[in-house]
Amino acid sequence: MFYWMLLVLAIVFEVTGTLSMKWSTLSGSVSGFYIMLVMIACSYLSLSIAIKKIALGVAYAMWEGVGIVLISLCSLWLFDESLSMIKLSGLALLILGIVLIKIGTLPAVAKRKGAI
């Protein structure tokens, strides 16, 4: 459970860093870039610890996929960006891909536990 919480934290750090980069670009403030650097570094650190117990493919797919979904939704709200049907379809396919990667990893983990 600890490693899954670290993965969630890595996603939150990544989303925060990416949104602060956009905010900094729009506002002209340099502070957003510093926030971005710290958040992305914390994100990678949290992810690197999380993959000790979570399969790399699953962790990375969730980190990037959930991050993209959250960034898209937050951009819609914070920066008035659009969300077309094509974008929504892409996000839905992304979520489906994450689910399929997670499901496909379950048998390999069960086999490995049984062999030990």
Side-chain angles (χ1 to χ4, degrees):
M1 187 64 170
F2 171 72
Y3 295 96
W4 285 101
M5 290 177 12
L6 279 175
L7 180 58
V8 169
L9 196 57
I11 294 167
V12 170
F13 285 143
E14 181 210 3
V15 170
T16 304
T18 304
L19 292 174
S20 68
M21 177 178 52
K22 174 75 172 189
W23 170 78
S24 184
T25 301
L26 293 176
S27 69
S29 172
V30 179
S31 62
F33 288 116
Y34 294 122
I35 294 169
M36 177 201 68
L37 289 172
V38 170
M39 291 294 110
I40 296 298
C42 290
S43 178
Y44 273 98
L45 180 63
S46 299
L47 180 64
S48 69
I49 297 169
I51 62 171
K52 286 183 179 182
K53 297 290 181 182
I54 301 172
L56 179 60
V58 172
Y60 191 76
M62 290 186 72
W63 180 69
E64 273 302 318
V66 173
I68 289 170
V69 170
L70 291 175
I71 289 167
S72 296
L73 295 176
C74 289
S75 294
L76 181 71
W77 175 56
L78 295 171
F79 305 118
D80 291 326
E81 292 186 2
S82 65
L83 197 59
S84 66
M85 284 305 292
I86 293 174
K87 287 181 183 179
L88 280 172
S89 299
L91 293 174
L93 287 172
L94 186 63
I95 292 168
L96 177 63
I98 293 168
V99 169
L100 291 175
I101 289 171
K102 177 66 177 142
I103 290 171
T105 305
L106 292 176
V109 171
K111 286 180 189 176
R112 193 171 50 222
K113 284 183 179 180
I116 296 176

